[in-house]
């Protein structure tokens, strides 16, 4: 048997009080000496993103947590923040493959729902209800008698104009029941003054029950009455938030409902933009005026920005798409970027959030590829 498969070298340990550490590069783990202490080092091929960061300073503020499709700001959601983050993260982790498969298989059905909802002024994100109600099984039947993609009870179906009798059950007709669902959701939403999270709760437990829970509470949001709702209804609304945020990651699902009572929005600080990248604004009649084409960055924002030098094919809109970032903020940070990157032979500064830096590095090739197609099309249109 060959016993020399391991290459062994020694080096002095950083801590001189300890014995020298043997660093062993093994092809065969059985070659380890008995009682050896194994230290696992990081992958030497891993990307070290720290060299791209201009500076990182903790200014003490607790920033919103960003999860796919939602932004949870502790200033607004307070004690509910960790609950929301944990629930949505776990839901995405456990159901991502199933939701991805459903999204692909039912592309045409989701498109139909969105068209119907648009005509009824119901947000397209409400299509997630059909996923959590029936998993898009149009003939689904619950133990209590609810049926179809939207799980209407017989009496509810009849009230919404669907035929439900011994011969015909239009609750299983996806097209008719979807139109009925749009009418029903709009009707419930009118009762709750446009709060769609309360609408989802009312869809599950009945709008009358939700109204009673609101009357027993000081607040008028889902978060204020959450603890007064049955566990099934609480989970129903949270599953809607998690599912809708997965299906429509560019939407902020939490903003479809009111903030809980006691929310403290960050106060506007007009002086915060002073000295932002040498752009000193003037104030005239309480109106802030910036120099033309300068980045508009508050001091608090500077500490959360990674500044990169890039060259080649990039576009702010496409960068925002791949980073799942608000394009308005990126344009504000990089006002001349799209023009400079096309016309300059030298590297151009790009400012992105530090927490999106690794995402930018990992998706860089895709960003460049799609940006090139966009820029080529743009330049050809200018000819």
């Amino acid at each position: 048997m060959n016993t020399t498969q391991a290459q062994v070298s020694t080096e002095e340990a950083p801590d001189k009080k300890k014995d020298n550490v043997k660093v062993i590069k093994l092809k065969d783990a059985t070659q380890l000496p008995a009682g050896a202490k194994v230290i696992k080092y990081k992958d030497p091929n891993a990307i070290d993103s720290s060299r791209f960061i201009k500076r990182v300073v903790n200014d003490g503020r607790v920033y919103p947590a960003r999860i796919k499709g939602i932004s949870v700001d502790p200033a607004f959601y307070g004690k509910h923040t960790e609950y929301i983050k944990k629930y949505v993260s776990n839901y995405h982790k456990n159901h991502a493959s199933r939701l991805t498969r459903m999204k692909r298989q039912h592309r045409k059905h989701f498109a139909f729902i969105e068209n119907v909802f648009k005509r009824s002024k119901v947000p397209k994100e409400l299509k997630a209800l059909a996923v959590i109600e029936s998993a898009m099984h149009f003939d689904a039947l619950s133990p209590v008698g609810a049926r179809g993609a939207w799980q209407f009870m017989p009496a509810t179906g009849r009230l919404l104009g669907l035929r439900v009798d011994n011969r015909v059950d239009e609750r299983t007709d996806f097209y008719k029941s979807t139109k009925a669902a749009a009418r029903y959701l709009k009707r419930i939403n009118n009762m709750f003054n446009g709060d769609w999270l309360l609408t989802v709760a009312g869809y599950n437990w009945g709008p009358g029950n939700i109204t009673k829970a609101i009357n027993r509470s000081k607040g008028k949001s889902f978060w204020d009455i959450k603890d007064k709702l049955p566990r099934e209804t609480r989970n129903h609304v949270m599953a809607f938030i998690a599912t809708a945020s997965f299906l429509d990651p560019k939407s902020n699902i939490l903003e479809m409902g009111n903030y809980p009572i006691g929310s403290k929005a960050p106060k506007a600080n007009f002086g915060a933009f002073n000295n932002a990248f040498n752009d000193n604004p003037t104030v005239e009649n309480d109106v802030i005026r910036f120099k033309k084409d300068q980045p508009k960055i508050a001091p608090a924002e500077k500490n959360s920005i990674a500044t990169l030098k890039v060259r080649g094919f990039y576009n702010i809109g496409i960068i925002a798409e791949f980073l799942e970032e608000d394009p308005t903020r990126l344009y504000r940070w990089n006002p001349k970027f799209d023009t400079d990157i096309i016309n300059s032979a030298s590297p151009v500064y790009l400012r992105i959030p530090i927490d999106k830096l690794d995402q930018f590095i990992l998706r860089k090739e895709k960003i460049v590829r799609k940006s090139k197609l966009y820029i080529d099309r743009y330049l050809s249109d200018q000819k």
Side-chain angles (χ1 to χ4, degrees):
M1 174 183 290
N2 185 0
T3 59
T4 61
Q5 295 183 25
Q7 299 176 3
V8 181
S9 62
T10 62
E11 62 181 19
E12 188 172 301
D15 187 351
K16 300 253 178 135
K17 295 180 182 179
K18 296 181 180 180
D19 295 334
N20 286 353
V21 177
K22 289 186 177 181
V23 180
I24 306 176
K25 298 179 181 179
L26 290 172
K27 294 182 181 177
D28 183 359
T30 61
Q31 298 298 315
L32 278 175
K37 183 178 180 180
V38 180
I39 302 175
K40 293 184 179 180
Y41 292 91
K42 292 182 179 180
D43 182 358
N45 297 320
I47 298 173
D48 177 14
S49 62
S50 61
R51 63 184 183 277
F52 292 103
I53 300 178
K54 186 176 182 180
R55 60 177 178 161
V56 181
V57 181
N58 184 3
D59 63 357
R61 180 185 169 188
V62 180
Y63 288 91
R66 297 186 180 278
I67 308 173
K68 188 174 185 178
I70 64 171
S71 176
V72 193
D73 193 334
F76 293 112
Y77 295 99
K79 65 180 181 179
H80 306 288
T81 302
E82 290 303 317
Y83 171 75
I84 297 169
K85 288 163 52 179
K86 185 175 180 180
Y87 190 102
V88 174
S89 296
N90 288 338
Y91 192 95
H92 286 178
K93 179 180 178 181
N94 295 329
H95 300 287
S97 59
R98 184 176 67 91
L99 291 174
T100 300
R101 184 171 60 253
M102 200 176 301
K103 188 176 180 179
R104 182 176 62 251
Q105 292 175 344
H106 293 280
R107 189 178 293 110
K108 292 182 179 179
H109 294 120
F110 285 139
F112 175 78
I113 295 173
E114 290 183 11
N115 288 332
V116 171
F117 282 9
K118 183 177 181 180
R119 289 196 294 271
S120 299
K121 297 182 179 180
V122 174
K124 65 177 182 178
E125 292 83 359
L126 270 293
K127 64 178 178 286
L129 274 180
V131 174
I132 60 177
E133 289 283 354
S134 66
M136 297 298 285
H137 292 304
F138 306 150
D139 195 29
L141 180 63
S142 77
V144 295
R147 195 169 190 181
W150 300 96
Q151 288 291 282
F152 291 132
M153 294 296 288
T156 305
R158 294 188 189 99
L159 286 173
L160 293 171
L162 299 177
R163 180 178 173 182
V164 182
D165 54 37
N166 294 332
R167 298 181 59 187
V168 178
D169 191 341
E170 291 184 336
R171 292 177 297 170
T172 63
D173 186 315
F174 174 72
Y175 300 97
K176 290 184 179 181
S177 64
T178 296
K179 293 177 181 178
R183 294 193 297 272
Y184 190 43
L185 288 167
K186 188 65 177 178
R187 188 180 304 174
I188 297 175
N189 187 252
N190 288 337
M191 297 176 63
F192 299 121
N193 300 316
D195 189 313
W196 288 102
L197 296 186
L198 288 177
T199 301
V200 172
Y203 190 95
N204 176 261
W205 196 34
N209 292 324
I210 300 301
T211 300
K212 292 177 183 177
I214 292 174
N215 292 336
R216 294 194 301 266
S217 173
K218 293 182 180 179
K220 295 183 179 181
S221 75
F222 163 74
W223 310 107
D224 297 319
I225 68 170
K226 178 171 66 69
D227 295 335
K228 295 180 172 62
L229 303 178
R231 179 181 297 180
E232 177 189 346
T233 302
R234 290 200 304 268
N235 287 336
H236 194 80
V237 176
M238 293 305 301
F240 164 75
I241 292 171
T243 302
S245 64
F246 190 93
L247 297 179
D248 294 285
K250 293 184 179 180
S251 301
N252 194 343
I253 308 302
L254 291 180
E255 293 184 355
M256 296 174 66
N258 292 324
Y259 294 122
I261 191 172
S263 295
K264 297 180 180 179
K267 294 181 179 179
N269 181 8
F270 293 107
F273 287 100
N274 286 327
N275 302 315
F277 280 78
N278 300 320
D279 180 19
N280 297 315
T282 59
V283 180
E284 301 174 9
N285 298 325
D286 295 327
V287 176
I288 297 179
R289 302 188 183 281
F290 289 90
K291 295 177 183 177
K292 185 179 180 181
D293 297 329
Q294 287 288 336
K296 298 174 179 59
I297 304 170
E301 287 183 314
K302 287 183 181 180
N303 299 328
S304 61
I305 294 176
T307 303
L308 292 68
K309 278 187 175 181
V310 296
R311 177 190 295 170
F313 296 97
Y314 289 95
N315 174 267
I316 287 295
I318 291 170
I319 293 171
E321 176 186 342
F322 278 91
L323 298 188
E324 298 176 356
E325 176 62 29
D326 179 9
T328 303
R329 181 164 71 161
L330 289 189
Y331 280 118
R332 178 164 59 81
W333 288 355
N334 304 274
K336 294 177 60 182
F337 180 84
D338 285 346
T339 302
D340 290 346
I341 200 70
I342 293 175
N343 299 323
S344 176
S346 303
V348 175
Y349 283 110
L350 170 66
R351 302 174 185 88
I352 62 174
I354 282 178
D355 59 0
K356 298 295 180 70
L357 183 58
D358 288 343
Q359 198 169 340
F360 174 84
I361 294 171
L362 294 173
R363 298 182 176 181
K364 180 179 176 182
E365 292 183 3
K366 293 182 179 179
I367 292 172
V368 170
R369 188 160 52 245
K370 189 165 182 179
S371 296
K372 184 178 186 305
L373 292 174
Y374 176 85
I375 292 171
D376 287 345
R377 186 165 60 248
Y378 171 79
L379 292 177
S380 64
D381 291 341
Q382 300 301 308
K383 294 179 180 179

